[in-house]
PDB file of all heavy atoms in Angstrom:
ATOM      1  N   SER N  88     -84.814  14.773  21.403  1.00 96.00           N
ATOM      2  CA  SER N  88     -86.016  14.295  20.719  1.00 96.00           C
ATOM      3  C   SER N  88     -87.113  15.351  20.663  1.00 96.00           C
ATOM      4  O   SER N  88     -88.071  15.213  19.897  1.00 96.00           O
ATOM      5  CB  SER N  88     -86.549  13.038  21.409  1.00 96.00           C
ATOM      6  OG  SER N  88     -86.921  13.316  22.751  1.00 96.00           O
ATOM      7  N   ARG N  89     -86.963  16.420  21.445  1.00 95.00           N
ATOM      8  CA  ARG N  89     -87.947  17.504  21.432  1.00 95.00           C
ATOM      9  C   ARG N  89     -87.501  18.682  20.567  1.00 95.00           C
ATOM     10  O   ARG N  89     -88.293  19.592  20.331  1.00 95.00           O
ATOM     11  CB  ARG N  89     -88.214  17.981  22.864  1.00 95.00           C
ATOM     12  CG  ARG N  89     -88.751  16.882  23.778  1.00 95.00           C
ATOM     13  CD  ARG N  89     -89.172  17.461  25.104  1.00 95.00           C
ATOM     14  NE  ARG N  89     -89.558  16.427  26.057  1.00 95.00           N
ATOM     15  CZ  ARG N  89     -90.085  16.671  27.256  1.00 95.00           C
ATOM     16  NH1 ARG N  89     -90.277  17.926  27.640  1.00 95.00           N
ATOM     17  NH2 ARG N  89     -90.397  15.692  28.074  1.00 95.00           N
ATOM     18  N   PHE N  90     -86.230  18.685  20.131  1.00 95.00           N
ATOM     19  CA  PHE N  90     -85.773  19.732  19.227  1.00 95.00           C
ATOM     20  C   PHE N  90     -86.535  19.605  17.907  1.00 95.00           C
ATOM     21  O   PHE N  90     -86.771  18.493  17.422  1.00 95.00           O
ATOM     22  CB  PHE N  90     -84.277  19.606  18.970  1.00 95.00           C
ATOM     23  CG  PHE N  90     -83.401  19.917  20.161  1.00 95.00           C
ATOM     24  CD1 PHE N  90     -83.930  20.240  21.400  1.00 95.00           C
ATOM     25  CD2 PHE N  90     -82.024  19.869  20.039  1.00 95.00           C
ATOM     26  CE1 PHE N  90     -83.118  20.520  22.491  1.00 95.00           C
ATOM     27  CE2 PHE N  90     -81.190  20.147  21.124  1.00 95.00           C
ATOM     28  CZ  PHE N  90     -81.740  20.470  22.346  1.00 95.00           C
ATOM     29  N   ALA N  91     -86.897  20.722  17.306  1.00 91.00           N
ATOM     30  CA  ALA N  91     -87.805  20.717  16.149  1.00 91.00           C
ATOM     31  C   ALA N  91     -87.339  19.805  15.024  1.00 91.00           C
ATOM     32  O   ALA N  91     -88.135  19.046  14.453  1.00 91.00           O
ATOM     33  CB  ALA N  91     -87.978  22.139  15.635  1.00 91.00           C
ATOM     34  N   SER N  92     -86.050  19.832  14.697  1.00 94.00           N
ATOM     35  CA  SER N  92     -85.556  19.042  13.569  1.00 94.00           C
ATOM     36  C   SER N  92     -85.571  17.549  13.876  1.00 94.00           C
ATOM     37  O   SER N  92     -85.907  16.729  13.009  1.00 94.00           O
ATOM     38  CB  SER N  92     -84.144  19.489  13.194  1.00 94.00           C
ATOM     39  OG  SER N  92     -83.297  19.454  14.322  1.00 94.00           O
ATOM     40  N   PHE N  93     -85.215  17.172  15.085  1.00 96.00           N
ATOM     41  CA  PHE N  93     -85.189  15.758  15.459  1.00 96.00           C
ATOM     42  C   PHE N  93     -86.594  15.225  15.755  1.00 96.00           C
ATOM     43  O   PHE N  93     -86.871  14.041  15.549  1.00 96.00           O
ATOM     44  CB  PHE N  93     -84.285  15.544  16.673  1.00 96.00           C
ATOM     45  CG  PHE N  93     -82.826  15.666  16.361  1.00 96.00           C
ATOM     46  CD1 PHE N  93     -82.161  16.870  16.529  1.00 96.00           C
ATOM     47  CD2 PHE N  93     -82.107  14.576  15.880  1.00 96.00           C
ATOM     48  CE1 PHE N  93     -80.810  16.997  16.237  1.00 96.00           C
ATOM     49  CE2 PHE N  93     -80.754  14.680  15.582  1.00 96.00           C
ATOM     50  CZ  PHE N  93     -80.105  15.897  15.761  1.00 96.00           C
ATOM     51  N   ARG N  94     -87.470  16.079  16.237  1.00 95.00           N
ATOM     52  CA  ARG N  94     -88.830  15.655  16.601  1.00 95.00           C
ATOM     53  C   ARG N  94     -89.583  15.084  15.406  1.00 95.00           C
ATOM     54  O   ARG N  94     -90.407  14.177  15.560  1.00 95.00           O
ATOM     55  CB  ARG N  94     -89.589  16.845  17.196  1.00 95.00           C
ATOM     56  CG  ARG N  94     -90.929  16.486  17.804  1.00 95.00           C
ATOM     57  CD  ARG N  94     -91.536  17.669  18.541  1.00 95.00           C
ATOM     58  NE  ARG N  94     -91.815  18.795  17.662  1.00 95.00           N
ATOM     59  CZ  ARG N  94     -91.303  20.015  17.809  1.00 95.00           C
ATOM     60  NH1 ARG N  94     -90.449  20.264  18.793  1.00 95.00           N
ATOM     61  NH2 ARG N  94     -91.614  20.984  16.972  1.00 95.00           N
ATOM     62  N   VAL N  95     -89.314  15.589  14.219  1.00 95.00           N
ATOM     63  CA  VAL N  95     -90.028  15.148  13.022  1.00 95.00           C
ATOM     64  C   VAL N  95     -89.291  14.035  12.280  1.00 95.00           C
ATOM     65  O   VAL N  95     -89.729  13.609  11.211  1.00 95.00           O
ATOM     66  CB  VAL N  95     -90.261  16.335  12.059  1.00 95.00           C
ATOM     67  CG1 VAL N  95     -91.103  17.408  12.727  1.00 95.00           C
ATOM     68  CG2 VAL N  95     -88.934  16.926  11.569  1.00 95.00           C
ATOM     69  N   SER N  96     -88.183  13.558  12.848  1.00 97.00           N
ATOM     70  CA  SER N  96     -87.319  12.593  12.152  1.00 97.00           C
ATOM     71  C   SER N  96     -87.481  11.196  12.740  1.00 97.00           C
ATOM     72  O   SER N  96     -87.075  10.933  13.873  1.00 97.00           O
ATOM     73  CB  SER N  96     -85.856  13.043  12.248  1.00 97.00           C
ATOM     74  OG  SER N  96     -85.686  14.324  11.669  1.00 97.00           O
ATOM     75  N   SER N  97     -88.046  10.291  11.950  1.00 96.00           N
ATOM     76  CA  SER N  97     -88.318   8.934  12.431  1.00 96.00           C
ATOM     77  C   SER N  97     -87.040   8.146  12.704  1.00 96.00           C
ATOM     78  O   SER N  97     -87.051   7.178  13.463  1.00 96.00           O
ATOM     79  CB  SER N  97     -89.181   8.185  11.414  1.00 96.00           C
ATOM     80  OG  SER N  97     -88.540   8.119  10.148  1.00 96.00           O
ATOM     81  N   GLY N  98     -85.919   8.550  12.111  1.00 96.00           N
ATOM     82  CA  GLY N  98     -84.662   7.853  12.325  1.00 96.00           C
ATOM     83  C   GLY N  98     -84.204   7.873  13.772  1.00 96.00           C
ATOM     84  O   GLY N  98     -83.458   6.988  14.205  1.00 96.00           O
ATOM     85  N   LEU N  99     -84.667   8.859  14.538  1.00 97.00           N
ATOM     86  CA  LEU N  99     -84.255   8.956  15.933  1.00 97.00           C
ATOM     87  C   LEU N  99     -84.734   7.767  16.754  1.00 97.00           C
ATOM     88  O   LEU N  99     -84.099   7.402  17.745  1.00 97.00           O
ATOM     89  CB  LEU N  99     -84.784  10.260  16.538  1.00 97.00           C
ATOM     90  CG  LEU N  99     -84.267  10.625  17.927  1.00 97.00           C
ATOM     91  CD1 LEU N  99     -82.765  10.844  17.901  1.00 97.00           C
ATOM     92  CD2 LEU N  99     -84.978  11.863  18.453  1.00 97.00           C
ATOM     93  N   SER N 100     -85.824   7.148  16.336  1.00 96.00           N
ATOM     94  CA  SER N 100     -86.397   6.040  17.101  1.00 96.00           C
ATOM     95  C   SER N 100     -85.575   4.757  16.973  1.00 96.00           C
ATOM     96  O   SER N 100     -85.821   3.801  17.712  1.00 96.00           O
ATOM     97  CB  SER N 100     -87.828   5.769  16.631  1.00 96.00           C
ATOM     98  OG  SER N 100     -87.832   5.310  15.280  1.00 96.00           O
ATOM     99  N   ALA N 101     -84.605   4.734  16.056  1.00 96.00           N
ATOM    100  CA  ALA N 101     -83.871   3.484  15.786  1.00 96.00           C
ATOM    101  C   ALA N 101     -82.363   3.635  15.924  1.00 96.00           C
ATOM    102  O   ALA N 101     -81.615   2.803  15.414  1.00 96.00           O
ATOM    103  CB  ALA N 101     -84.210   3.002  14.373  1.00 96.00           C
ATOM    104  N   ILE N 102     -81.906   4.665  16.628  1.00 97.00           N
ATOM    105  CA  ILE N 102     -80.459   4.881  16.705  1.00 97.00           C
ATOM    106  C   ILE N 102     -79.758   3.784  17.501  1.00 97.00           C
ATOM    107  O   ILE N 102     -80.320   3.205  18.426  1.00 97.00           O
ATOM    108  CB  ILE N 102     -80.126   6.260  17.306  1.00 97.00           C
ATOM    109  CG1 ILE N 102     -80.691   6.396  18.720  1.00 97.00           C
ATOM    110  CG2 ILE N 102     -80.582   7.373  16.409  1.00 97.00           C
ATOM    111  CD1 ILE N 102     -80.222   7.652  19.429  1.00 97.00           C
ATOM    112  N   SER N 103     -78.531   3.532  17.123  1.00 96.00           N
ATOM    113  CA  SER N 103     -77.654   2.602  17.827  1.00 96.00           C
ATOM    114  C   SER N 103     -76.714   3.407  18.718  1.00 96.00           C
ATOM    115  O   SER N 103     -76.215   4.462  18.309  1.00 96.00           O
ATOM    116  CB  SER N 103     -76.839   1.778  16.827  1.00 96.00           C
ATOM    117  OG  SER N 103     -77.683   1.128  15.893  1.00 96.00           O
ATOM    118  N   TYR N 104     -76.453   2.929  19.939  1.00 98.00           N
ATOM    119  CA  TYR N 104     -75.542   3.597  20.870  1.00 98.00           C
ATOM    120  C   TYR N 104     -74.183   2.913  20.832  1.00 98.00           C
ATOM    121  O   TYR N 104     -74.094   1.688  20.976  1.00 98.00           O
ATOM    122  CB  TYR N 104     -76.116   3.590  22.282  1.00 98.00           C
ATOM    123  CG  TYR N 104     -77.271   4.550  22.457  1.00 98.00           C
ATOM    124  CD1 TYR N 104     -78.575   4.158  22.165  1.00 98.00           C
ATOM    125  CD2 TYR N 104     -77.055   5.860  22.883  1.00 98.00           C
ATOM    126  CE1 TYR N 104     -79.635   5.049  22.310  1.00 98.00           C
ATOM    127  CE2 TYR N 104     -78.107   6.748  23.029  1.00 98.00           C
ATOM    128  CZ  TYR N 104     -79.391   6.340  22.745  1.00 98.00           C
ATOM    129  OH  TYR N 104     -80.438   7.224  22.884  1.00 98.00           O
ATOM    130  N   LEU N 105     -73.117   3.705  20.642  1.00 98.00           N
ATOM    131  CA  LEU N 105     -71.762   3.189  20.480  1.00 98.00           C
ATOM    132  C   LEU N 105     -70.824   3.853  21.489  1.00 98.00           C
ATOM    133  O   LEU N 105     -71.016   5.017  21.866  1.00 98.00           O
ATOM    134  CB  LEU N 105     -71.257   3.463  19.061  1.00 98.00           C
ATOM    135  CG  LEU N 105     -72.158   2.969  17.911  1.00 98.00           C
ATOM    136  CD1 LEU N 105     -71.651   3.504  16.585  1.00 98.00           C
ATOM    137  CD2 LEU N 105     -72.220   1.450  17.901  1.00 98.00           C
ATOM    138  N   GLN N 106     -69.796   3.121  21.898  1.00 98.00           N
ATOM    139  CA  GLN N 106     -68.827   3.611  22.870  1.00 98.00           C
ATOM    140  C   GLN N 106     -67.727   4.414  22.194  1.00 98.00           C
ATOM    141  O   GLN N 106     -67.059   3.932  21.276  1.00 98.00           O
ATOM    142  CB  GLN N 106     -68.207   2.442  23.637  1.00 98.00           C
ATOM    143  CG  GLN N 106     -67.138   2.834  24.642  1.00 98.00           C
ATOM    144  CD  GLN N 106     -67.658   3.711  25.763  1.00 98.00           C
ATOM    145  OE1 GLN N 106     -68.748   3.470  26.297  1.00 98.00           O
ATOM    146  NE2 GLN N 106     -66.888   4.738  26.121  1.00 98.00           N
ATOM    147  N   ALA N 107     -67.534   5.640  22.643  1.00 98.00           N
ATOM    148  CA  ALA N 107     -66.481   6.491  22.084  1.00 98.00           C
ATOM    149  C   ALA N 107     -65.097   6.008  22.510  1.00 98.00           C
ATOM    150  O   ALA N 107     -64.905   5.522  23.629  1.00 98.00           O
ATOM    151  CB  ALA N 107     -66.684   7.929  22.527  1.00 98.00           C
ATOM    152  N   THR N 108     -64.135   6.159  21.605  1.00 98.00           N
ATOM    153  CA  THR N 108     -62.743   5.866  21.922  1.00 98.00           C
ATOM    154  C   THR N 108     -61.895   7.132  21.989  1.00 98.00           C
ATOM    155  O   THR N 108     -60.849   7.145  22.639  1.00 98.00           O
ATOM    156  CB  THR N 108     -62.132   4.914  20.877  1.00 98.00           C
ATOM    157  OG1 THR N 108     -62.264   5.500  19.567  1.00 98.00           O
ATOM    158  CG2 THR N 108     -62.837   3.559  20.898  1.00 98.00           C
ATOM    159  N   GLU N 109     -62.355   8.194  21.327  1.00 98.00           N
ATOM    160  CA  GLU N 109     -61.608   9.459  21.333  1.00 98.00           C
ATOM    161  C   GLU N 109     -62.544  10.600  20.965  1.00 98.00           C
ATOM    162  O   GLU N 109     -63.338  10.481  20.027  1.00 98.00           O
ATOM    163  CB  GLU N 109     -60.449   9.395  20.333  1.00 98.00           C
ATOM    164  CG  GLU N 109     -59.555  10.623  20.334  1.00 98.00           C
ATOM    165  CD  GLU N 109     -58.402  10.514  19.354  1.00 98.00           C
ATOM    166  OE1 GLU N 109     -58.158   9.402  18.831  1.00 98.00           O
ATOM    167  OE2 GLU N 109     -57.743  11.541  19.097  1.00 98.00           O
ATOM    168  N   ILE N 110     -62.441  11.709  21.701  1.00 98.00           N
ATOM    169  CA  ILE N 110     -63.249  12.899  21.418  1.00 98.00           C
ATOM    170  C   ILE N 110     -62.334  14.108  21.531  1.00 98.00           C
ATOM    171  O   ILE N 110     -61.755  14.367  22.595  1.00 98.00           O
ATOM    172  CB  ILE N 110     -64.429  13.024  22.395  1.00 98.00           C
ATOM    173  CG1 ILE N 110     -65.344  11.798  22.296  1.00 98.00           C
ATOM    174  CG2 ILE N 110     -65.234  14.296  22.106  1.00 98.00           C
ATOM    175  CD1 ILE N 110     -66.454  11.756  23.339  1.00 98.00           C
ATOM    176  N   THR N 111     -62.172  14.844  20.428  1.00 98.00           N
ATOM    177  CA  THR N 111     -61.276  15.993  20.404  1.00 98.00           C
ATOM    178  C   THR N 111     -61.930  17.153  19.658  1.00 98.00           C
ATOM    179  O   THR N 111     -62.961  16.976  18.990  1.00 98.00           O
ATOM    180  CB  THR N 111     -59.936  15.651  19.722  1.00 98.00           C
ATOM    181  OG1 THR N 111     -60.194  15.176  18.386  1.00 98.00           O
ATOM    182  CG2 THR N 111     -59.184  14.582  20.487  1.00 98.00           C
ATOM    183  N   ARG N 112     -61.311  18.319  19.777  1.00 98.00           N
ATOM    184  CA  ARG N 112     -61.773  19.475  19.012  1.00 98.00           C
ATOM    185  C   ARG N 112     -60.578  20.179  18.402  1.00 98.00           C
ATOM    186  O   ARG N 112     -59.442  20.010  18.858  1.00 98.00           O
ATOM    187  CB  ARG N 112     -62.576  20.421  19.889  1.00 98.00           C
ATOM    188  CG  ARG N 112     -61.903  20.861  21.171  1.00 98.00           C
ATOM    189  CD  ARG N 112     -62.860  21.692  22.012  1.00 98.00           C
ATOM    190  NE  ARG N 112     -62.397  21.847  23.379  1.00 98.00           N
ATOM    191  CZ  ARG N 112     -63.072  22.508  24.314  1.00 98.00           C
ATOM    192  NH1 ARG N 112     -64.227  23.066  24.018  1.00 98.00           N
ATOM    193  NH2 ARG N 112     -62.600  22.608  25.535  1.00 98.00           N
ATOM    194  N   ALA N 113     -60.834  20.985  17.363  1.00 98.00           N
ATOM    195  CA  ALA N 113     -59.754  21.654  16.643  1.00 98.00           C
ATOM    196  C   ALA N 113     -60.266  22.970  16.083  1.00 98.00           C
ATOM    197  O   ALA N 113     -61.478  23.197  15.975  1.00 98.00           O
ATOM    198  CB  ALA N 113     -59.231  20.761  15.514  1.00 98.00           C
ATOM    199  N   GLY N 114     -59.322  23.828  15.714  1.00 97.00           N
ATOM    200  CA  GLY N 114     -59.695  25.077  15.074  1.00 97.00           C
ATOM    201  C   GLY N 114     -59.816  26.227  16.042  1.00 97.00           C
ATOM    202  O   GLY N 114     -59.268  26.206  17.144  1.00 97.00           O
ATOM    203  N   ASP N 115     -60.606  27.224  15.635  1.00 96.00           N
ATOM    204  CA  ASP N 115     -60.743  28.464  16.379  1.00 96.00           C
ATOM    205  C   ASP N 115     -62.196  28.922  16.257  1.00 96.00           C
ATOM    206  O   ASP N 115     -62.729  28.992  15.144  1.00 96.00           O
ATOM    207  CB  ASP N 115     -59.791  29.514  15.787  1.00 96.00           C
ATOM    208  CG  ASP N 115     -59.682  30.761  16.641  1.00 96.00           C
ATOM    209  OD1 ASP N 115     -60.721  31.242  17.137  1.00 96.00           O
ATOM    210  OD2 ASP N 115     -58.560  31.268  16.806  1.00 96.00           O
ATOM    211  N   THR N 116     -62.822  29.250  17.375  1.00 96.00           N
ATOM    212  CA  THR N 116     -64.238  29.642  17.340  1.00 96.00           C
ATOM    213  C   THR N 116     -64.446  31.021  16.711  1.00 96.00           C
ATOM    214  O   THR N 116     -65.596  31.459  16.563  1.00 96.00           O
ATOM    215  CB  THR N 116     -64.828  29.644  18.766  1.00 96.00           C
ATOM    216  OG1 THR N 116     -63.994  30.427  19.634  1.00 96.00           O
ATOM    217  CG2 THR N 116     -64.905  28.227  19.309  1.00 96.00           C
TER     218      THR N 116
END
Side-chain angles (χ1 to χ4, degrees):
S88 62
R89 300 188 186 186
F90 291 2
S92 54
F93 287 94
R94 189 172 63 239
V95 299
S96 301
S97 59
L99 189 63
S100 65
I102 60 172
S103 306
Y104 287 87
L105 306 171
Q106 178 63 42
T108 57
E109 184 179 348
I110 300 173
T111 57
R112 53 185 165 181
D115 190 317
T116 52

